[in-house]
Amino acid sequence: MWWELLPIQIQKKGMVSVENERVRRKYFKDLNRKVYIERALEIIRDEGTEAISIRRMAKEFQCSTTSMYRYFENVEELLYYANLGYLDEYLEELNVHEKE
């Protein structure tokens, strides 16, 4: 239950306790923008843009659907950054083939 995620120790003098950090990692699973973008890029490569959804990303990371909103305003913003990564890979591939 959600109350099990509450910190056992209270932060003292600006220091984050080990218990607070453990709880934070358990709750947020060390997710960040880069992790979301990289996984979205993998899904786009394998299944296409249509396969990306908030529910799909939550299922992939075994977290709540709202956790993605810490990093992105909406799924379109995630798609924007993931597609930039896809475009970057494509341009690199073009450069390699042009040099041949």
Side-chain angles (χ1 to χ4, degrees), residues 1 27 32 61 82 92 94-95 98 100:
M1 298 316 229
Y27 185 75
N32 58 45
F61 293 113
E92 286 178 21
L94 279 178
N95 286 333
E98 285 180 354
E100 293 177 349

Side-chain angles (χ1 to χ4, degrees), residues 25-72:
R25 285 187 179 170
K26 178 180 175 185
Y27 185 75
F28 294 114
K29 302 178 185 295
D30 288 331
L31 297 175
N32 58 45
R33 289 176 67 90
K34 183 179 178 185
V35 171
Y36 277 109
I37 293 167
E38 287 174 347
R39 183 62 188 131
L41 182 54
E42 290 172 10
I43 293 170
I44 289 170
R45 270 193 235 113
D46 296 341
E47 302 172 39
T49 305
E50 308 81 31
I52 302 292
S53 70
I54 293 171
R55 287 185 182 181
R56 169 73 184 269
M57 297 305 289
K59 184 178 178 184
E60 291 284 327
F61 293 113
Q62 298 177 350
C63 62
S64 84
T65 55
T66 58
S67 66
M68 192 180 85
Y69 290 108
R70 290 182 55 145
Y71 309 104
F72 303 98

Side-chain angles (χ1 to χ4, degrees), residues 5-7 18-28:
L5 299 174
L6 293 175
V18 174
E19 183 64 21
N20 284 343
E21 183 64 18
R22 183 189 65 76
V23 169
R24 186 194 67 77
R25 285 187 179 170
K26 178 180 175 185
Y27 185 75
F28 294 114

